[in-house]
Amino acid sequence: MNKKTLFSFLAITLFTTIIFAQERALPNKEVKTLDGSNFNITDIENDGNPIVISFWATWCKPCKKELNNIAEVYEDWQDETAVKLIAISIDDSRSMMRVKPYVNASDWEYEIYLDPNSDLKRAMGVSTVPHTFLLNGENKIVWQHQGYVDGDENKLYEQIKKIAN
Amino acid sequence: MKKILCFFTTLGISLLGFSQELNLGEVHGDFNLNLQSYQEDKLIGAKAADEIILNNAYLNLNYLKGNFATGIRYESYLNALADYDPDFKGNGIPYMYATYNIDGLEVTAGNYYEQLGSGLIFRSYEEKGLGIDNAMDGVRVKYSPLKGIYLKSFIGKSRTYFTYADGIFRGADGELNINDVFNLKSKTKAIIGGSFISRYQKRENVMFKIPQNVAAYASRLNIIRGNWSYYSEFAYKLNDPANLLNKSKMNYAPGSALTNNISFSKKGFGLSAEIHRIDNMTFKSDRDRNGKAYIINYIPTLSKPHSYALLAMYPYATQSDGEIAIQVDLFLKFKKGSMLGGKYGTKLDLNYSRMNALSGDYGKSFLNDEVDYTPIPLCFAQERYFQDMNLEINKKINKKIKTTCIIANQTYNKDFIEGKPTGDYGVINSTILVADISYKIKNGHSIRTELQRLGSIQLESAKKLAEGDWSMGLLEYTISPNWFFQIQDMYNWGNEDVNKQLHYVNINAGFMKGANRFEVGYGKKREGIFCVGGVCKTVPSSNGFNLSITSSF
């Protein structure tokens, strides 16, 4: 490797480090509310408190397990950290109509959005559900996790507590 | 030269310090790899692959800066997994796009995915597990001049494997959120929409006057009032004869689809009812080609997508040439402390779906009368394609034990759905029982078991031997947040052919950490239909080792 290539290599490495070193923002994508309105995901807010974004579907058993297990402790989480959970359903037009009755019957207190053609899912690099992101008070992604097994909600909560005000 | 490099290095270092102020954008993406080895197993009919190992992999890269985004996807099929279309072959970058967003206008050039309404006339999407990717290549413009008004229009060709189908698509869609536009404070909310799509494909047939431009349009209405919600969509497709000198394919009849859904829900209670009528709605990106890669619209299947193996053994796929289907869902949650709720509450899901042939009189539908037909709306023919009744109960017994129990009865017209000669398998009726119990051993450690049984009978005398009864057992051990281990066995003990009373054993283990997930497995898979999100594909039997990696950054 001569000096020239070495220097260019260093320069490129530095440049990419800068890009990667940045905290990650949400992509500029529209989702649907349960009322059928359009909503830009960058508009979510929680008064500077942490936000959890969880991708799920009505046909995904581990997803429902995760959200039902969190529902049992959600009130405590909110009291202690003021966290807000946003559940994004990737159900397409086959099962999309089932989302609202399922959510209401399950008595979830989460904010729910629909992503029926997976536009947001793709933009956020989600390949399988469940996939959970944790956002800090500036809506930057600081942590993420793929899949769900029993007890994972405790690990998520440890991360939430780290960034809670 | 040295000076320039020094300059860049210094610039780089100083930028590192100021990176928060000087926003250079972000790079993100995800990676996916699926590798499978194929060994021969004559008993289950699994074939060995010449390559021994087959592999699919994808890497998505997205660059974002403010209102601008661009990205690519690299795909590698060396060679494609046996359940994929062999036309997915080699490496390439079949997906790249650039898009920006300013003052309500979004412009995309390159590849994009798009859906009009619920997809009845047009849907471009990807479902990698099923080998579906009909991404568009062209330009798209979306504009929202006022809050509540959404317009979009696009032009492009649809992807098939590593190339594009012949048809050129021109589409437009408008949506009006009446409450937002007129700033109404009414309790009732209404959204109306209309969409249009047209396909151009050159006429090459000299004998028949085949339309070069085929249009389809749809209108939709969504009304929400309090706990009630109603959605309706009607779609119409102009004549689109397939370019084949075959009477049944040379049909100049138009197509139509009507779908209606109503739901009511409140705390602890949810009810949803849906009906659709589909008639001659197969819409392709190339009229001369067959196969799922050329389908350009999406007719949702009105049945519940099941995730347990034996419940999904006989899944239904929408008959877009003609069907009438209904589905009803009931969700209930009995409160803690109530009689049915017990200490922790009980959840109950009831689902019923049924699909029948079109029109009251057998013989009066697109499928049976190729010249002219007048189907009777909202009338079920006697021929039943599919029926599913199922009840799921979720109950937490105590702090450590959670259970799910399902009982289901399914009727599956195997000859019709799988296109077999009538009388080969006839209609299969099966009753399925599922028990899923999870037990929390200690903090982070859980064990889960699934026991499933399927008992089936053929409703008519059939020429082929039936697969009969099945049992399935699964044991899973998970350690949060990193590990899972699983062993499962499906046993076809009731097969009428004694040589086919086989065990299908699979062992899987996985490691997850943050955004990465690794999974390895070994075992035999059964030949059958694999469905995700309402689209099904036939998977061949396989026997061997598999590895999968998914990662996101």
Side-chain angles (χ1 to χ4, degrees):
Chain A
M1 200 185 275
N2 61 30
K3 263 186 182 167
K4 201 170 120 186
T5 27
L6 186 71
F7 269 109
S8 351
F9 179 75
L10 270 176
I12 291 166
T13 317
L14 274 171
F15 184 73
T16 41
T17 321
I18 295 158
I19 293 179
F20 273 95
Q22 295 252 324
E23 284 173 316
R24 182 176 174 184
L26 288 170
N28 190 342
K29 287 281 168 196
E30 299 255 307
V31 286
K32 291 261 181 200
T33 67
L34 289 181
D35 282 350
S37 304
N38 290 25
F39 180 83
N40 194 307
I41 198 68
T42 54
D43 291 339
I44 55 170
E45 56 100 26
N46 188 25
D47 294 330
N49 293 306
I51 296 177
V52 173
I53 293 184
S54 180
F55 281 85
W56 71 290
T58 58
W59 42 261
C60 164
K61 216 177 145 47
C63 305
K64 291 196 279 185
K65 205 172 184 182
E66 174 175 36
L67 293 171
N68 280 320
N69 286 350
I70 294 176
E72 289 178 20
V73 291
Y74 191 47
E75 247 178 272
D76 298 339
W77 284 18
Q78 286 191 307
D79 287 347
E80 286 169 36
T81 61
V83 67
K84 180 198 258 187
L85 195 146
I86 292 175
I88 295 173
S89 146
I90 60 155
D91 284 90
D92 68 13
S93 50
R94 176 179 183 184
S95 46
M96 200 173 91
M97 304 298 176
R98 216 185 253 121
V99 172
K100 194 176 173 184
Y102 180 82
V103 165
N104 282 340
S106 303
D107 201 7
W108 288 354
E109 300 290 331
Y110 312 138
E111 212 168 284
I112 312 280
Y113 296 104
L114 304 169
D115 186 25
N117 211 26
S118 295
D119 292 331
L120 179 65
K121 173 180 175 255
R122 200 167 14 251
M124 290 186 71
V126 172
S127 43
T128 51
V129 283
H131 194 131
T132 307
F133 295 90
L134 177 62
L135 278 65
N136 65 16
E138 283 88 49
N139 278 6
K140 300 280 192 229
I141 298 164
V142 291
W143 186 85
Q144 58 174 315
H145 186 74
Q146 272 193 52
Y148 175 80
V149 298
D150 275 304
D152 278 359
E153 68 275 18
N154 300 325
K155 309 290 170 193
L156 168 65
Y157 193 50
E158 280 171 23
Q159 299 291 331
I160 297 171
K161 280 196 282 193
K162 272 189 206 166
I163 58 162
N165 296 323
Chain B
M1 193 66 200
K2 239 183 187 173
K3 270 183 191 167
I4 301 172
L5 287 170
C6 277
F7 169 76
F8 272 112
T9 318
T10 329
L11 181 74
I13 292 167
S14 42
L15 280 177
L16 195 63
F18 292 104
S19 59
Q20 295 299 322
E21 287 77 19
L22 256 171
N23 187 357
L24 291 170
E26 304 174 27
V27 178
H28 299 292
D30 59 282
F31 173 71
N32 212 303
L33 180 139
N34 280 298
L35 183 146
Q36 165 94 40
S37 77
Y38 294 86
Q39 286 157 254
E40 187 171 327
D41 188 320
K42 283 193 173 130
L43 273 175
I44 65 166
K47 289 198 180 97
D50 291 342
E51 302 91 334
I52 304 171
I53 290 170
L54 298 174
N55 183 31
N56 290 2
Y58 322 99
L59 175 72
N60 277 301
L61 278 179
N62 295 306
Y63 170 80
L64 282 127
K65 187 180 183 313
N67 291 326
F68 175 76
T70 181
I72 58 162
R73 188 192 309 120
Y74 179 83
E75 298 185 8
S76 170
Y77 305 91
L78 293 172
N79 281 331
L81 297 181
D83 44 344
Y84 267 63
D85 221 316
D87 289 325
F88 280 106
K89 199 169 192 165
N91 301 320
I93 300 180
Y95 178 78
M96 51 180 116
Y97 71 93
T99 179
Y100 73 87
N101 215 311
I102 191 154
D103 298 332
L105 178 76
E106 184 191 303
V107 176
T108 307
N111 296 102
Y112 54 90
Y113 295 93
E114 184 55 79
Q115 174 177 329
L116 300 180
S118 59
L120 294 176
I121 57 167
F122 184 85
R123 187 183 186 205
S124 154
Y125 68 114
E126 58 165 338
E127 193 69 76
K128 282 285 183 286
L130 294 175
I132 291 174
D133 190 340
N134 59 354
M136 297 298 288
D137 187 23
V139 288
R140 176 180 65 185
V141 179
K142 287 185 179 181
Y143 188 50
S144 173
L146 284 169
K147 188 174 164 27
I149 300 178
Y150 306 96
L151 307 168
K152 63 187 169 194
S153 182
F154 60 90
I155 186 160
K157 288 182 119 184
S158 152
R159 176 181 172 191
T160 46
Y161 315 114
F162 275 110
T163 175
Y164 294 92
D166 254 5
I168 297 173
F169 286 90
R170 290 76 51 102
D173 186 90
E175 191 171 289
L176 211 63
N177 188 322
I178 293 180
N179 300 61
D180 281 351
V181 175
F182 301 103
N183 212 3
L184 299 176
K185 293 276 176 276
S186 163
K187 256 190 179 175
T188 310
K189 290 179 183 166
I191 298 166
I192 53 170
S195 46
F196 174 84
I197 183 91
S198 156
R199 183 197 69 206
Y200 168 78
Q201 191 180 3
K202 199 173 161 53
R203 173 187 331 153
E204 267 146 11
N205 192 319
V206 285
M207 301 213 4
F208 293 91
K209 202 179 169 213
I210 298 201
Q212 297 197 109
N213 291 289
V214 174
Y217 52 87
S219 58
R220 57 185 189 271
L221 169 69
N222 191 1
I223 298 174
I224 292 137
R225 187 180 167 87
N227 298 323
W228 292 89
S229 177
Y230 172 76
Y231 181 84
S232 169
E233 183 168 342
F234 175 75
Y236 190 83
K237 176 173 71 85
L238 269 68
N239 62 37
D240 183 24
N243 194 16
L244 293 166
L245 294 177
N246 167 331
K247 262 180 145 184
S248 68
K249 296 270 164 83
M250 228 16 192
N251 192 321
Y252 283 78
S256 68
L258 176 68
T259 174
N260 274 287
N261 175 288
I262 189 155
S263 77
F264 173 82
S265 60
K266 58 175 195 175
K267 199 174 171 175
F269 179 91
L271 181 70
S272 160
E274 198 162 4
I275 182 163
H276 80 198
R277 182 185 179 283
I278 307 297
D279 187 3
N280 189 18
M281 276 304 282
T282 307
F283 198 18
K284 296 186 291 183
S285 52
D286 183 334
R287 71 165 97 79
D288 303 331
R289 305 279 192 124
N290 284 320
K292 67 174 184 230
Y294 295 94
I295 305 286
I296 199 69
N297 63 341
Y298 180 78
I299 315 281
T301 308
L302 285 203
S303 69
K304 184 175 180 171
H306 290 295
S307 48
Y308 289 100
L310 295 189
L311 279 170
M313 181 157 265
Y314 296 114
Y316 184 68
T318 308
Q319 303 300 311
S320 47
D321 279 348
E323 71 166 29
I324 182 155
I326 55 162
Q327 175 166 237
V328 180
D329 277 285
L330 176 69
F331 304 98
L332 289 174
K333 187 181 178 188
F334 300 106
K335 270 189 215 157
K336 287 177 193 172
S338 65
M339 200 178 76
L340 288 167
K343 194 178 173 189
Y344 298 96
T346 304
K347 285 176 86 173
L348 196 147
D349 295 358
L350 184 70
N351 168 269
Y352 175 80
S353 64
R354 180 178 172 163
M355 291 77 175
N356 274 53
L358 216 52
S359 116
D361 195 6
Y362 207 48
K364 276 191 181 169
S365 79
F366 161 72
L367 281 178
N368 302 309
D369 182 349
E370 66 278 2
V371 184
D372 186 27
Y373 71 105
T374 44
I376 305 155
L378 303 188
C379 193
F380 289 78
Q382 278 200 330
E383 188 178 24
R384 194 189 315 170
Y385 295 154
F386 183 79
Q387 178 177 282
D388 185 359
M389 292 182 270
N390 56 79
L391 173 69
E392 178 178 332
I393 299 164
N394 287 285
K395 177 100 190 111
K396 186 173 173 181
I397 308 284
N398 57 35
K399 274 194 167 174
K400 287 183 178 286
I401 302 173
K402 277 182 187 163
T403 58
T404 301
C405 294
I406 302 173
I407 178 164
N409 183 276
Q410 298 175 346
T411 306
Y412 180 81
N413 190 335
K414 186 165 169 132
D415 287 346
F416 181 83
I417 296 168
E418 297 181 17
K420 314 263 188 210
T422 310
D424 259 14
Y425 292 92
V427 177
I428 294 165
N429 183 276
S430 46
T431 302
I432 304 121
L433 297 170
V434 177
D436 180 331
I437 303 153
S438 51
Y439 178 76
K440 193 173 152 189
I441 300 169
K442 58 177 185 191
N443 219 356
H445 291 246
S446 291
I447 193 160
R448 187 174 76 86
T449 179
E450 265 178 35
L451 297 167
Q452 303 182 30
R453 191 189 177 284
L454 177 144
S456 82
I457 44 164
Q458 280 169 319
L459 293 185
E460 297 145 19
S461 64
K463 291 189 208 110
K464 301 260 169 80
L465 291 175
E467 284 193 337
D469 300 350
W470 287 82
S471 287
M472 193 251 195
L474 177 148
L475 198 64
E476 187 183 76
Y477 190 87
T478 56
I479 308 166
S480 168
N482 301 126
W483 294 96
F484 83 84
F485 306 92
Q486 195 195 65
I487 179 161
Q488 66 171 72
D489 182 22
M490 267 169 76
Y491 179 31
N492 190 193
W493 56 275
N495 201 311
E496 285 178 17
D497 182 348
V498 269
N499 292 321
K500 288 189 173 170
Q501 292 178 357
L502 301 171
H503 286 275
Y504 295 79
V505 183
N506 270 282
I507 303 170
N508 290 286
F511 176 73
M512 297 152 277
K513 196 168 182 203
N516 300 324
R517 183 188 161 93
F518 306 87
E519 195 180 318
V520 288
Y522 184 81
K524 286 179 189 176
K525 287 193 190 75
R526 183 187 165 268
E527 173 197 69
I529 300 169
F530 176 67
C531 290
V532 172
V535 182
C536 309
K537 70 171 176 178
T538 313
V539 206
S541 327
S542 68
N543 176 23
F545 167 83
N546 64 69
L547 165 74
S548 101
I549 301 172
T550 51
S551 167
S552 173
F553 64 92

